[in-house]
Amino acid sequence: MVAEALAHPHRFRLHRAGVLNVWQYDEQVFEFAGGRLLLRGSNGAGKSKTLEMLLPFVLDGDKQRITASGRHHTSLLWLMLDGYPGQNRIGYLWVEFIRTDPDGGTEAVTCGVGIRASQSARTASSWYFTFPGRVGGGDGELGLEEPAGPLGRDRLRAVLEPNGHLFDSARAYKQHVGRLLFGLEPAQYDELLRLLYWLRQPQVGEDIEPAKLAEQLAQALPQLDDDAVRAAGDTFDELAAFGEQLDRARRCAEAVGVFAGVYADYARGVLRGRGETVLAEQREFAARAREVEARRAAAAALDTQREAAGRERGEVEAERVLDEGRLRELQADPALRNRRELVAKRQRARDLAGAASAAEQVASGAALRTERAGARMTADAARLRSDLLAFVGVAQGLSGDAARLGVSAPLPLPPVLADPALAGPAAAGADATGGAEAVMEALNRHGAAARGARPAVGELLAAVRVVDDARVELVRAEGARAGAEREAAAAEQRAEAERGRCADTAREAERLERTYDAALGSWRADPAAVPFPEPAE
């Protein structure tokens, strides 16, 4: 696969490779003949190191896999600073690929790695680039060196624009090179690089194992086309799905056969039931038809009866006309008018008798209501007298309380309130009316006196409120005093504790001072001690 990929006339093949200011090289360009290069020299001439620097390192930028054999470890820092007297060094490694288009044109692509090493920091950093052209000094070619030396990273970025690509990550650079040169995805490109690293080993032909060789060749085989694999898988899936459909169809046919037998029995049962229903409906229809015939016969008989009734109605109508004529003759007779007047007088007598009976009932009801009103008046007079006597007792108690409290306003109680002249409807008259008026006048005088005493009572109430407020304030002040006493006791306890801690602190300070004086005296007495200025205190 590698030989085919590199030698096919319409695919990229190795054309040139170059080393600029790396390891023992100043500037060296290697020419490939038909995509092949032969390096000859004695042992230790640098053939392996040159191969390590160029391939496949320039194709993937993996710094961990530069070493071609396990005998000597190779790193970018060693390649850049081995035998180099300066502090900083910049160099480039590049490989050029070309291919011939079907129309006869030639396309070139250059892949390269830039390296910068620092002697003081003992580090080496790298960057990666691709350029759609050749490395050189001609028009349209990429120049990697200026009079001041090899290009730095930023200067190379400016030179590459806008056609080239610069990468800071080896992973992104490897994926780009795999697609650009070989048209491979990352996983397939990794397999190709694995084979290239194995073939690059200097002693690869010394210990060839058939099993290992077969494994390497298997890894180098081209990957199956995803579309072909997907199409084959889809075909197998369709076959499997078709087989499943056949199984489902067979099972469905068996189930349908079983269902058909069951449904046939069900259909026969339903048909039998519907036939019985039809027979029953037919019998019902015959019965209804016989009933209709009977109804028709009855309707014909009724029509006959209706015609007979019509004839009878005509006869009755004629008799009615004759009776109306005789009735008009009787109404014109004078004897009938006298009979009407007698009937009217009898009706008037019955109406007068009813009115007299109604008047008698109204009179009886009025007498009963009058009797009940008198009873209620007697009871009300008794309750009013009792209420007046209770009021007099309460008023006398209030008058005594007011006198004891120093209220100067008098509260007179007329004698008529102590013995009110109130009676029931039996004693109604001028005396009863005068007694009620005397009671009302006495109540009005007592009410006026009570209203006159309100200011004095208000003064007493204000004094009582002042005394109550003073009592509440006294209770609050006593509570505050008790709280202040408790706080004072607690503060005294805290002060005592603080005095104790202060004394302990003073004793500790004296002890530390003595310890410091002793340590300072020991330091002064030590001849090997370093002198220092003593503090002021």
Side-chain angles (χ1 to χ4, degrees):
M1 175 181 180
V2 177
E4 181 184 2
L6 298 181
H8 194 280
H10 299 311
R11 295 183 182 180
F12 284 108
R13 67 180 184 274
L14 293 168
H15 186 248
R16 291 193 310 162
V19 181
L20 174 63
N21 201 30
V22 179
W23 195 41
Q24 306 296 334
Y25 291 98
D26 180 12
E27 181 178 8
Q28 179 66 45
V29 177
F30 300 95
E31 299 284 347
F32 288 79
R36 294 173 175 82
L37 174 67
L38 178 62
L39 297 178
R40 297 179 62 185
S42 60
N43 291 338
K47 300 184 298 300
S48 298
K49 284 291 180 287
T50 301
L51 183 63
E52 289 175 349
M53 289 188 298
L54 293 176
L55 295 171
F57 172 63
V58 177
L59 296 178
D60 66 350
D62 191 349
K63 296 180 288 187
Q64 305 299 325
R65 304 171 69 179
I66 295 179
T67 304
S69 64
R71 299 175 185 177
H72 303 285
H73 179 67
T74 303
S75 65
L76 293 181
L77 182 63
W78 182 84
L79 289 173
M80 296 297 291
L81 299 181
D82 181 41
Y84 183 72
Q87 291 295 322
N88 298 317
R89 189 181 187 188
I90 297 177
Y92 282 92
L93 303 170
W94 55 270
V95 177
E96 178 185 303
F97 297 85
I98 65 170
R99 70 177 176 182
T100 302
D101 297 335
D103 56 0
T106 302
E107 179 184 2
V109 172
T110 301
C111 303
V113 180
I115 308 169
R116 185 182 186 278
S118 173
Q119 188 74 260
S120 58
R122 301 299 299 172
T123 59
S125 60
S126 59
W127 55 93
Y128 315 91
F129 69 91
T130 61
F131 179 72
R134 304 183 63 184
V135 173
D139 293 339
E141 295 182 345
L142 175 63
L144 298 176
E145 189 175 12
E146 294 178 332
L151 301 178
R153 184 200 307 256
D154 297 335
R155 186 74 184 93
L156 177 64
R157 188 189 304 273
V159 172
L160 287 174
E161 293 179 352
N163 298 323
H165 297 83
L166 184 66
F167 301 88
D168 295 327
S169 168
R171 180 181 180 86
Y173 169 72
K174 180 178 69 173
Q175 295 176 358
H176 176 72
V177 171
R179 293 188 178 96
L180 177 64
L181 296 180
F182 304 100
L184 298 177
E185 295 300 321
Q188 298 173 342
Y189 190 47
D190 288 339
E191 297 296 333
L192 176 61
L193 290 173
R194 184 179 296 109
L195 179 60
L196 292 178
Y197 275 111
W198 180 68
L199 294 174
R200 185 198 61 174
Q201 301 178 29
Q203 295 82 19
V204 66
E206 295 180 0
D207 50 353
I208 296 178
E209 298 179 4
K212 188 173 182 181
L213 179 60
E215 180 182 355
Q216 295 295 335
L217 292 176
Q219 291 179 356
L221 291 175
Q223 297 288 335
L224 293 176
D225 184 56
D226 292 340
D227 295 336
V229 174
R230 188 177 301 107
D234 294 341
T235 302
F236 284 117
D237 292 341
E238 291 176 358
L239 290 175
F242 185 69
E244 293 178 357
Q245 290 178 1
L246 290 178
D247 292 339
R248 286 196 298 271
R250 185 178 58 258
R251 291 193 297 270
C252 289
E254 294 174 356
V256 168
V258 175
F259 174 75
V262 175
Y263 189 78
D265 296 338
Y266 168 75
R268 284 191 291 270
V270 172
L271 184 60
R272 184 184 300 108
R274 291 185 177 179
E276 294 176 353
T277 303
V278 171
L279 292 176
E281 294 292 338
Q282 184 63 29
R283 288 193 292 269
E284 181 68 18
F285 178 75
R288 295 299 181 185
R290 290 191 296 270
E291 185 177 356
V292 166
E293 293 297 331
R295 297 293 183 184
R296 287 176 179 173
L302 289 176
D303 289 338
T304 303
Q305 293 177 3
R306 181 176 59 79
E307 293 175 356
R311 291 191 295 271
E312 186 177 356
R313 177 183 178 184
E315 296 174 357
V316 171
E317 184 68 21
E319 293 179 356
R320 183 182 65 78
V321 172
L322 295 175
D323 292 339
E324 287 180 353
R326 289 195 298 270
L327 180 61
R328 285 193 294 270
E329 293 177 356
L330 292 174
Q331 288 177 352
D333 193 354
L336 182 60
R337 288 196 298 270
N338 294 333
R339 181 177 178 276
R340 290 176 179 173
E341 292 177 359
L342 178 62
V343 171
K345 291 180 179 179
R346 287 178 179 176
Q347 182 64 36
R348 178 62 178 168
R350 285 194 297 269
D351 293 341
L352 292 175
S357 176
E360 184 178 359
Q361 291 176 359
V362 171
S364 298
L368 181 59
R369 287 194 295 273
T370 301
E371 182 178 357
R372 291 177 180 175
R376 285 197 299 272
M377 290 179 62
T378 302
D380 293 341
R383 284 196 300 271
L384 182 58
R385 179 181 178 83
S386 176
D387 293 341
L388 285 174
L389 293 177
F391 171 74
V392 169
V394 173
Q396 289 176 352
L398 292 176
S399 179
D401 293 339
R404 286 192 301 273
L405 292 175
V407 178
S408 58
L411 296 174
L413 286 173
V416 69
L417 295 178
D419 187 13
L422 297 175
D431 295 337
T433 302
E437 292 177 354
V439 169
M440 290 300 297
E441 184 179 357
L443 288 174
N444 291 332
R445 289 199 304 272
H446 182 76
R451 287 190 294 273
R454 283 181 179 178
V457 175
E459 294 176 358
L460 291 177
L461 288 175
V464 170
R465 292 193 187 95
V466 171
V467 173
D468 289 340
D469 294 342
R471 184 182 298 108
V472 172
E473 188 64 27
L474 176 61
V475 172
R476 187 182 299 109
E478 289 178 353
R481 179 180 59 79
E485 291 177 354
R486 288 193 296 273
E487 291 179 359
E492 184 65 27
Q493 293 177 359
R494 290 195 297 272
E496 187 64 27
E498 292 295 333
R499 284 194 291 271
R501 284 196 293 272
C502 183
D504 295 340
T505 304
R507 289 192 294 271
E508 181 65 18
E510 291 176 359
R511 184 184 67 77
L512 293 176
E513 184 177 0
R514 290 193 299 270
T515 302
Y516 173 75
D517 291 340
L520 184 59
S522 299
W523 181 272
R524 289 173 179 172
D526 190 356
V530 178
F532 63 91
E534 297 182 6
E537 295 181 1

